[in-house]
Amino acid sequence: NAYRQEVSGGRGRPSSNIEATLNGIWWILCTGAMWNQLPQRFGKHDSISRCFRRWSSCGLWEWALKRLSSSKREYNVAIILDASYVKAHQDASKHPLSAAKQKLGKTKGGCNTKLSVAVNLIGRPLSIKLVPGNEHDSKSALDTLCGLVGGNFVLADKAYDTNNIRQRVREWGGFAVIPPKSNRKEKIEYDKEVGKIRHRVENFFCRIKRFRRIATRYEKLPETYLGFVTIAAISDWVKM
């Protein structure tokens, strides 16, 4: 109801049984099963899947994640950035959209997608972007960090050691704590003690990949897969 009032202006008919619908979506997220395997106690599987797609497309899950993360701004003194590969099932590529629009890319391991994520000091997610699996981590960095830097530290690994990223972080008022690559000509100071907390974004990836619907991408559309990822991120905040 809060989303309908704040974002959609109160338009649209609410679900007749919102609790059963959300429980059905949660069951699919945890089990990784096909929608037609959804137990009847949750309702009609086609109605719930259609409702989930609609909510994912309109930005409901991203809105909820933003509300949660904005309530704990005191932990944003450090923004930790990283990306993680996700294996795409063969069913995920069965769509007329191009691979680029589906956020799919071919690597040595086959068809993959990638999650670019920024978390706060305690490892809770602030921003999640979906990119093709064959895209370099640094290309999605600025999009993932947009609006988060402020006067905070930005921690990342060597994959993000580019002049462009460092300059934009400075322009946004932040402080880049990124280890320099071995082939850098100019010397850049790096605080190893601060950099040790980078593992918290890896811990976040480990937690959300316990959900079978996230560990393997079955979704054809990028917004529906990102919807499942965002629900898992919301649950990570709730369990804090």
Side-chain angles (χ1 to χ4, degrees):
N1 289 335
Y3 175 79
R4 292 177 64 239
Q5 293 297 327
E6 182 175 325
V7 179
S8 63
R11 297 187 302 272
R13 185 180 64 183
S15 175
S16 59
N17 193 342
I18 187 69
E19 184 175 354
T21 300
L22 290 174
N23 285 337
I25 294 172
W26 182 260
W27 188 88
I28 293 291
L29 172 64
C30 294
T31 64
M34 295 183 289
W35 281 104
N36 60 11
Q37 301 295 315
L38 188 70
Q40 292 184 355
R41 67 179 182 271
F42 297 116
K44 295 181 179 179
H45 71 85
D46 54 345
S47 297
I48 296 177
S49 63
R50 186 165 55 248
C51 192
F52 170 71
R53 288 195 301 270
R54 185 167 64 248
W55 285 343
S56 298
S57 299
C58 74
L60 170 63
W61 313 119
E62 290 81 2
W63 173 84
L65 179 61
K66 186 177 180 180
R67 288 287 296 269
L68 281 170
S69 59
S70 62
S71 66
K72 299 290 183 180
R73 294 183 184 275
E74 64 270 20
Y75 296 115
N76 290 3
V77 292
I79 309 298
I80 312 171
L81 180 68
D82 205 353
S84 181
Y85 289 101
V86 176
K87 179 67 177 177
H89 192 269
Q90 59 185 3
D91 291 342
S93 59
K94 293 179 180 180
H95 196 279
L97 282 176
S98 64
K101 290 184 178 179
Q102 285 184 276
K103 306 299 182 182
L104 294 173
K106 289 186 177 180
T107 63
K108 292 181 179 180
C111 194
N112 286 334
T113 192
K114 187 185 289 186
L115 293 170
S116 178
V117 175
V119 303
N120 61 14
L121 182 62
I122 56 175
R124 263 44 186 190
L126 303 173
S127 175
I128 304 173
K129 304 296 179 183
L130 191 65
V131 297
N134 58 353
E135 183 177 294
H136 194 270
D137 293 357
S138 61
K139 288 188 176 182
S140 58
L142 296 178
D143 190 27
T144 307
L145 288 173
C146 186
L148 298 176
V149 178
N152 307 318
F153 292 97
V154 175
L155 284 68
D157 58 29
K158 290 183 179 181
Y160 299 91
D161 178 28
T162 68
N163 293 332
N164 183 40
I165 293 177
R166 290 180 183 275
Q167 180 180 351
R168 292 298 295 274
V169 169
R170 285 196 300 269
E171 290 174 354
W172 288 338
F175 307 90
V177 184
I178 303 173
K181 294 179 181 178
S182 58
N183 59 352
R184 259 197 177 274
K185 294 182 180 179
E186 57 178 319
K187 184 179 179 181
I188 294 179
E189 294 184 0
Y190 171 66
D191 192 328
K192 292 184 178 180
E193 291 301 316
V194 176
K196 287 180 180 179
I197 66 174
R198 287 205 322 265
H199 68 90
R200 292 176 185 175
V201 66
E202 298 290 349
N203 295 346
F204 168 72
F205 287 129
C206 290
R207 290 195 298 270
I208 65 169
K209 285 186 177 181
R210 292 193 180 106
F211 296 96
R212 296 180 65 87
R213 199 76 179 195
I214 294 175
T216 303
R217 176 179 168 177
Y218 298 97
E219 308 303 315
K220 299 175 184 178
L221 298 176
E223 57 264 26
T224 52
Y225 178 69
L226 190 58
F228 277 124
V229 175
T230 311
I231 294 173
I234 291 170
S235 73
D236 199 47
W237 270 101
V238 173
K239 293 177 182 177
M240 190 178 78

